[in-house]
Amino acid sequence: MIMKKLIDKNFKIILGLCVILQSCASVKNVPKNSENVESLSNSGSLVQVVSPALENITGTEEIWLGGQIQDKLKSNLQEYLGMRIVVDSKSEVALKKLQRESEDEGRNEETAIELGKISTAKFALFSKIRKTNNGYIISTDFTDLATGEQKASVTSKEYTKTEYLYENTGAIDEITLALADKLGIRLSNKQRQLLTSIEDDINYEPYFSNNEIYVKGGTFFIGTKEFTVNDFFIAKTEASDDVGFPIVNKTWFEVIQYCNELSKKEKFESVYEISKNGKKVKADFSKNGYRLPTREEWYWAATGAEKRDVFGTNSNLDSIVWYIENSNEKIHRIAQKSANSIGIYDIFGNVAEWCWNSAEDDYRIVCGGFYGSSEKYVTPEKFYSKHKRDFGENYIGFRLVRTCMNNKSQEKSK
């Protein structure tokens, strides 16, 4: 039976994927089945978030943008709507095919129901990212795979930059709020505030007042190699926004530039010399401003410096680290777990952290694991990896340090 199309003068909705034919920021109301809406309100609904379809997206954006949006959708459905995410590569392929057919107006309810038998999910969230002349628009369609019914269809307003799609109060937060309202899922006032706070009102600066701790340098081994680090100051927490979540989705270069800007604001000396094209960076560690830690400084602080923390049982990890076994595969606010022995929070988990290295290639050091890491990647055993410097990720944040030179470095410029 062919799905009855809903058409009006502005746009039409096809089951499985909302295809917007007019540029608009409106939300289409879809009749609700009260019984099914009630089941969604009871939380824990199994949902498969299908990787987004892309329209007019090319180049490097085609490689990374879809995954970024998919990850943010998964995170929001879990955190705000209380849903459980299904990851099933077999049904993902079939659902993607359904998504393409919907764009050609060639699928029907029976097809959706058949796919529901393949997937372990009860619902599927389809999405599409469309690049316009002035920015980007995301459309979504929440479908019941048991009945083939489209439960809700939401389209974001137009956003001028890709980062506005997935950052706090961006397109995905806008869509999350609309989906909650259309599906009858109640959000607390605090949740609504987090989803709708005006972006310009959020302070993206880490709080360094009483947030630095002094780390005495020392000599130690990483594997069979010996290293020595000098004294330095390190932030107790990862840099966070003013609602307490780590700042993520920033490239290595953006963080380097931020270090200099914060140093200037706080009247410290800038550590980094950045070329005019912004692609070459030199560091002067004799300056007293903010910077990223080296791999060795990060390791020394993460493992308790002179106290030499011991990592052993899972219970030990659970008390100090957000990782795959306890995170529900989502990012958490800073300092919710215990600190390590010298007072540093979340250094091995929650989000990984950019570090300094001066390699000439396109890759930079990232230390620590994140909320989706397995046990061995949130301990000293596998404590660092490399990541392309030009790409931010929703699991990579940063933590700032400053050089300590017999207290002289603490003095601000006059």
Side-chain angles (χ1 to χ4, degrees):
M1 180 180 70
I2 302 299
M3 173 68 176
K4 182 180 178 182
K5 300 172 186 174
L6 305 175
I7 304 175
D8 66 19
K9 64 181 180 179
N10 293 322
F11 54 90
K12 61 181 178 180
I13 302 175
I14 302 170
L15 178 65
L17 178 69
C18 176
V19 181
I20 301 305
L21 300 179
Q22 301 286 336
S23 295
C24 63
S26 62
V27 175
K28 178 69 178 175
N29 289 318
V30 178
K32 300 175 183 177
N33 179 296
S34 59
E35 182 180 352
N36 288 339
V37 171
E38 180 62 29
S39 69
L40 282 169
S41 301
N42 290 333
S43 78
S45 299
L46 292 169
V47 181
Q48 184 153 349
V49 179
V50 182
S51 58
L54 304 177
E55 182 179 327
N56 301 328
I57 307 291
T58 59
T60 57
E61 285 182 353
E62 187 176 11
I63 298 172
W64 65 269
L65 184 57
Q68 194 92 321
I69 297 302
Q70 185 182 26
D71 286 345
K72 177 65 172 176
L73 283 168
K74 288 179 181 178
S75 176
N76 276 23
L77 290 183
Q78 289 181 115
E79 174 137 6
Y80 293 101
L81 306 190
M83 297 179 179
R84 289 184 292 161
I85 302 302
V86 172
V87 179
D88 185 339
S89 57
K90 180 180 178 181
S91 56
E92 170 85 4
V93 173
L95 288 168
K96 284 291 289 182
K97 181 180 179 182
L98 177 67
Q99 189 175 33
R100 290 192 298 270
E101 288 177 355
S102 72
E103 294 183 0
D104 298 331
E105 304 183 23
R107 75 177 174 93
N108 55 45
E109 287 180 348
E110 292 180 356
T111 303
I113 294 170
E114 286 302 310
L115 286 172
K117 296 176 182 178
I118 298 174
S119 175
T120 55
K122 179 174 172 56
F123 302 96
L125 181 69
F126 299 95
S127 60
K128 183 174 184 178
I129 311 167
R130 179 162 62 90
K131 189 171 185 178
T132 66
N133 291 333
N134 300 313
Y136 303 82
I137 292 173
I138 298 179
S139 55
T140 58
D141 167 14
F142 193 89
T143 297
D144 188 329
L145 294 178
T147 65
E149 181 186 357
Q150 183 188 53
K151 306 299 296 181
S153 180
V154 177
T155 299
S156 76
K157 66 183 181 183
E158 189 174 59
Y159 289 81
T160 57
K161 296 181 180 180
T162 55
E163 54 263 40
Y164 296 161
L165 300 178
Y166 48 79
E167 285 186 346
N168 290 343
T169 72
I172 302 304
D173 283 0
E174 175 195 350
I175 287 169
T176 302
L177 182 61
L179 283 174
D181 290 341
K182 297 180 75 60
L183 295 172
I185 298 174
R186 294 183 178 181
L187 299 178
S188 68
N189 291 335
K190 181 62 176 178
Q191 286 176 315
R192 287 184 175 274
Q193 180 184 355
L194 291 173
L195 290 170
T196 59
S197 296
I198 299 174
E199 185 169 301
D200 290 343
D201 288 344
I202 293 180
N203 176 16
Y204 286 99
E205 294 181 359
Y207 299 106
F208 278 88
S209 299
N210 301 316
N211 192 36
E212 283 183 328
I213 60 172
Y214 167 74
V215 180
K216 183 175 178 57
T219 299
F220 56 97
F221 285 87
I222 300 178
T224 59
K225 293 185 178 180
E226 186 178 77
F227 296 92
T228 298
V229 296
N230 296 320
D231 301 354
F232 61 97
F233 297 98
I234 189 170
K236 295 178 184 178
T237 64
E238 292 152 337
S240 63
D241 59 33
D242 64 356
V243 292
F245 284 101
I247 300 172
V248 293
N249 295 314
K250 301 299 180 186
T251 70
W252 185 82
F253 283 114
E254 287 175 328
V255 176
I256 290 294
Q257 290 168 346
Y258 176 77
C259 289
N260 276 0
E261 290 170 6
L262 185 60
S263 295
K264 183 177 180 181
K265 180 177 180 180
E266 296 293 326
K267 299 189 178 190
F268 287 117
E269 301 164 323
S270 294
V271 171
Y272 298 116
E273 180 184 336
I274 305 171
S275 64
K276 290 183 178 180
N277 65 7
K279 296 301 180 183
K280 292 185 178 180
V281 181
K282 294 181 179 179
D284 183 353
F285 283 17
S286 69
K287 305 296 185 182
N288 64 3
Y290 295 108
R291 59 179 176 84
L292 291 177
T294 64
R295 183 191 68 161
E296 293 74 29
E297 286 174 327
W298 189 97
Y299 182 90
W300 180 240
T303 54
E306 292 181 308
K307 295 187 177 182
R308 313 311 298 141
D309 289 350
V310 176
F311 288 78
T313 64
N314 283 351
S315 60
N316 173 256
L317 281 180
D318 284 343
S319 67
I320 62 173
V321 176
W322 289 115
Y323 67 122
I324 195 167
E325 296 297 331
N326 62 13
S327 70
N328 200 21
E329 296 189 56
K330 64 181 182 181
I331 197 169
H332 291 264
R333 288 183 173 85
I334 60 171
Q336 300 301 300
K337 293 285 188 181
S338 299
N340 72 358
S341 62
I342 60 172
I344 300 174
Y345 294 91
D346 301 314
I347 196 161
F348 269 111
N350 203 23
V351 295
E353 301 176 7
W354 285 117
C355 287
W356 165 259
N357 68 306
S358 57
E360 293 297 324
D361 61 22
D362 293 335
Y363 291 85
R364 292 295 178 267
I365 295 290
V366 174
C367 284
F370 70 105
Y371 54 84
S373 296
S374 60
E375 180 180 339
K376 71 177 180 179
Y377 292 102
V378 292
T379 65
E381 179 186 355
K382 298 276 188 182
F383 77 94
Y384 80 96
S385 59
K386 291 186 177 182
H387 189 78
K388 290 203 75 169
R389 60 187 185 177
D390 293 324
F391 291 94
E393 299 286 359
N394 67 354
Y395 58 85
I396 300 178
F398 61 98
R399 181 188 308 265
L400 301 187
V401 302
R402 293 195 300 119
T403 299
C404 175
M405 298 172 292
N406 297 322
N407 295 323
K408 180 179 179 180
S409 66
Q410 300 180 71
E411 298 176 3
K412 298 182 179 182
S413 303
K414 296 182 179 179

